[in-house]
Amino acid sequence: MTLSKRCMTVLTGWLLSVSIQAAPIDMAGIRLADPIDLSGAKLQLNGAGIRYKAVFKVYVAALYLDKKAATPEEVYATSGPKRISITLLREIDSNELGKSFTKAFEENAPRTEMSRLIPGLIKMGQVFSALKTMPAGENFTIDWVPGTGTVISVKGKPQGEPIKEAEFFNAMMRIWLGTKPADWKLKDELLGKAS
């Protein structure tokens, strides 16, 4: 094979791998973009999965980071922007969703941090209680934006003021990645482990 043919083969393989990586992923009928832009940073899909409650599909969760992370500690240590995206697969009472997040939050947050986290937890509760119900297909995101804080958005619109405490975002991530996650299989999927 000539040098130019080898170069073309390598270039073609590289272009195919880039186009495959950049293709949106479909999960339970929900399209997940990869990569995404958040506050001027390009984030890649670290992992995604479906949250089940008993046999029912509840939502699709997707974790976006600036570099791949295979452990919860690596996710927490990432200093750049981060996002968890939740798209509902069934209608949910927002108040019940907020209560389940609060319970999982409390079960996984370090006791030493709880007093600093309570104001953020109250703000998060207010966001969900104001929404009443969230229909199937509804999307909300929880973003960590350095210098701004944790931003909770519904339909792409920020809800309330950002929560400034850096510990709050990691405490939110522990809902899915902590020692008592909402769903063990989903935890592995968010960390990029094949199911």
Side-chain angles (χ1 to χ4, degrees):
M1 188 183 283
T2 66
L3 181 59
S4 63
K5 283 186 179 180
R6 273 188 264 164
C7 287
M8 286 302 292
T9 302
V10 169
L11 181 60
T12 301
W14 179 78
L15 287 172
L16 282 173
S17 71
V18 168
S19 66
I20 289 168
Q21 291 173 356
I25 295 166
D26 186 281
M27 184 165 285
I30 305 300
R31 287 180 62 97
L32 302 173
D34 185 23
I36 63 164
D37 289 313
L38 177 60
S39 294
K42 193 168 285 296
L43 304 183
Q44 60 185 310
L45 182 64
N46 195 73
I50 298 172
R51 164 73 166 109
Y52 285 87
K53 191 159 187 173
V55 296
F56 302 104
K57 294 178 180 179
V58 182
Y59 57 77
V60 170
L63 176 62
Y64 293 92
L65 303 170
D66 60 356
K67 61 183 179 182
K68 289 285 187 178
T71 67
E73 293 72 27
E74 290 174 3
V75 173
Y76 308 146
T78 303
S79 59
K82 308 174 210 184
R83 168 175 285 175
I84 185 119
S85 174
I86 307 291
T87 305
L88 300 176
L89 297 174
R90 58 188 315 112
E91 183 175 302
I92 294 179
D93 178 282
S94 299
N95 202 29
E96 288 303 313
L97 183 64
K99 284 180 186 176
S100 69
F101 280 178
T102 300
K103 182 178 182 230
F105 184 101
E106 290 172 349
E107 288 176 346
N108 287 285
R111 297 283 173 234
T112 56
E113 294 179 8
M114 276 309 286
S115 63
R116 288 183 304 218
L117 300 175
I118 289 174
L121 199 53
I122 291 169
K123 286 182 187 177
M124 182 191 73
Q126 290 169 339
V127 166
F128 286 108
S129 66
L131 296 171
K132 306 297 180 219
T133 62
M134 297 179 78
E138 186 78 83
N139 173 265
F140 67 92
T141 57
I142 303 168
D143 297 333
W144 171 251
V145 181
T148 300
T150 300
V151 179
I152 301 171
S153 299
V154 178
K155 297 181 190 176
K157 295 182 180 176
Q159 305 293 305
E161 293 297 313
I163 300 163
K164 302 287 185 193
E165 297 80 16
E167 302 91 351
F168 184 80
F169 184 84
N170 284 342
M172 286 296 296
M173 291 303 92
R174 287 184 183 100
I175 291 172
W176 298 279
L177 303 178
T179 56
K180 296 178 182 175
D183 182 314
W184 284 97
K185 183 175 182 234
L186 178 58
K187 175 180 177 175
D188 286 344
E189 291 169 336
L190 292 173
L191 292 172
K193 297 173 185 169
S195 55

